[in-house]
Amino acid sequence: MTTKKIAFLFPGQGSQTVGMGRSLAEQFPVASATFAEADEALGFPLSRIFLDGPEDELRLTENTQPAILTVSVAAWRVLAEHGIHPAMAAGHSLGEWSAHVAAGTLSFRDAVRAVKARGQSMQNAVPAGEGAMAAILALGVDAIAEACSEATAETGQVVSAANFNSPDQTVISGAKAAVEKAGELAKARGARKVVMLAVSAPFHCALMQPAQHDVAAALSGISLANPAFPVAANVSGSLVSSADQVRTALIEQVTGTVRWVDCVHSLLAAGAEIFVEAGPGKVLTGLLRQIDRGQKCVHVEDIPSLEKVLVELNA
C-alpha cells in the first residue's frame, strides 16, 4: 500500500443518487452493517430510501443529509478494511460531519441523528420558495462580494457568498430576489455564467440562523473527542485538532461560508500527497482539479471505483 500521505474528502448535499452504496453493501458486511446502524439509530429505514427511492423522498434535506453521511461512512469503513487510512481529511458542508466520524471525533450514531436534525432545521428555517442559491462562474470573489452588497442595499434582503468552491466557482445564497439581483450584477461585472441552483433552501447564509441554534443544541448533548487526525474546518479553511474547535466549527458552519479552496490549500500545506473522495459522486474530485490540476484524486463509491483505487494505491 502507498506510503504517501492520504487526505480523505467527504461529499456534501447534491451528490446523492438512488441506489448509492448498494454494491458496497452487497459485497462488504461492514458497509451493510453501517446501513443497518443508521436505520437503528434513526428508528426508521433510511437505507431503504437511498437504496430504492423514491427519489423525491431522498431529495428531502432531512433524508439527503443522513443518507450521504451513511454512504460516506460506509465507503470509509470499507477503505479502512483494505488498509487505506487518512492522515488528514476535509468534508464539504455536510461532509465535514463525515470527516469527523472518520477522525473519531464523534460516533456515527450520534452523527447520523444530529445530521437528521440538522437537515430538518435547515429545511424549516426559510419557507419554501423564499430562498435561493446561484453558482457564479469566472468572477473574482471581491467582485462577487460587491455584487452581493449592492443587491442587499437595493432589495433590503440577505445575499452573501455561501461556498468558495474553486477559483472559478462561487455559490451565493439568500433571499430569492436578492440572489437574482446579485446574479444580474455579477453578470454586469463580467461573470461568464450565473446558474440558479435547484435547492430546497438557501444554505450557508444568515437566513439559516434558526438552524444554527438547533445544531448548537444538538451538539450540546453529544460527547466530542479530539480528532485522531487534522480535519479542515469549512468556516475558516484551517485544520482543527481539538474537540472545542470542532464544536464551534460545526455550529458556525450552518450560517458561514464554506471556504473549500482554503480547506484544500490547508491539506496541501500539511503534506497531503494524494486525495481520496469517499462517498457518492465525484463533485469534490472535479473541484480539486479546478483548484490544483497537478493533484491526484481518486474516488470510492462502488465496487469498480474501489477496485481502481486499490490498484492505484498499490502501484
Side-chain angles (χ1 to χ4, degrees):
M1 193 58 61
T2 182
T3 58
K4 290 183 177 180
K5 275 192 175 181
I6 301 175
F8 272 38
L9 305 178
F10 293 94
Q13 193 161 343
S15 294
Q16 72 275 0
T17 57
V18 172
M20 61 184 182
R22 185 187 304 279
S23 64
L24 292 179
E26 288 175 344
Q27 186 154 332
F28 298 105
V30 71
S32 59
T34 301
F35 294 0
E37 186 179 356
D39 293 349
E40 196 277 331
L42 294 174
F44 79 99
L46 173 72
S47 62
R48 188 183 305 164
I49 295 173
F50 65 74
L51 288 173
D52 302 321
E55 187 174 349
D56 58 352
E57 196 168 348
L58 176 59
R59 280 202 305 264
L60 294 174
T61 300
E62 63 183 272
N63 293 331
T64 306
Q65 293 193 11
I68 292 173
L69 170 74
T70 298
V71 175
S72 297
V73 168
W76 158 66
R77 287 174 170 174
V78 169
L79 285 163
E81 283 197 337
H82 287 81
I84 301 172
H85 303 285
M88 62 197 80
H92 193 284
S93 186
L94 156 73
E96 192 170 344
W97 290 78
S98 305
H100 281 295
V101 173
T105 314
L106 75 169
S107 71
F108 173 57
R109 293 174 69 83
D110 283 342
V112 78
R113 289 192 190 108
V115 162
K116 170 75 171 176
R118 177 184 187 267
Q120 289 173 321
S121 297
M122 293 175 81
Q123 183 63 65
N124 295 335
V126 179
E130 292 188 11
M133 299 181 76
I136 299 177
L137 306 183
L139 186 65
V141 295
D142 290 342
I144 292 172
E146 291 171 2
C148 288
S149 180
E150 187 175 333
T152 294
E154 288 192 27
T155 64
Q157 296 180 317
V158 169
V159 60
S160 60
N163 307 333
F164 295 128
N165 282 336
S166 76
D168 196 47
Q169 182 193 117
T170 296
V171 174
I172 61 173
S173 179
K176 188 170 185 289
V179 170
E180 290 173 343
K181 184 62 181 178
E184 293 172 7
L185 294 169
K187 282 185 179 178
R189 283 170 164 78
R192 183 173 74 240
K193 196 172 185 181
V194 176
V195 182
M196 297 299 292
L197 302 180
V199 294
S200 57
F203 304 125
H204 299 293
C205 74
L207 297 178
M208 288 288 110
Q209 189 61 50
Q212 180 165 305
H213 176 79
D214 291 345
V215 168
L219 280 168
S220 69
I222 294 176
S223 176
L224 300 182
N226 294 335
F229 49 77
V231 176
N234 284 186
V235 291
S236 65
S238 59
L239 301 181
V240 297
S241 56
S242 76
D244 287 342
Q245 289 175 316
V246 172
R247 192 181 303 275
T248 299
L250 291 177
I251 292 169
E252 293 182 349
Q253 182 218 72
V254 179
T255 59
T257 304
V258 175
R259 301 181 180 276
W260 189 248
V261 176
D262 291 339
C263 287
V264 171
H265 286 158
S266 290
L267 295 174
L268 290 170
E273 297 173 281
I274 186 168
F275 293 81
V276 176
E277 181 173 3
K282 296 187 288 185
V283 170
L284 302 183
T285 301
L287 291 180
L288 182 63
R289 290 196 189 100
Q290 295 178 33
I291 295 168
D292 188 337
R293 187 165 289 277
Q295 299 304 317
K296 183 176 184 61
C297 189
V298 294
H299 82 288
V300 172
E301 62 177 328
D302 54 21
I303 298 303
S305 58
L306 173 66
E307 291 174 344
K308 183 177 179 181
V309 166
L310 294 177
V311 169
E312 293 198 25
L313 294 186
N314 278 306

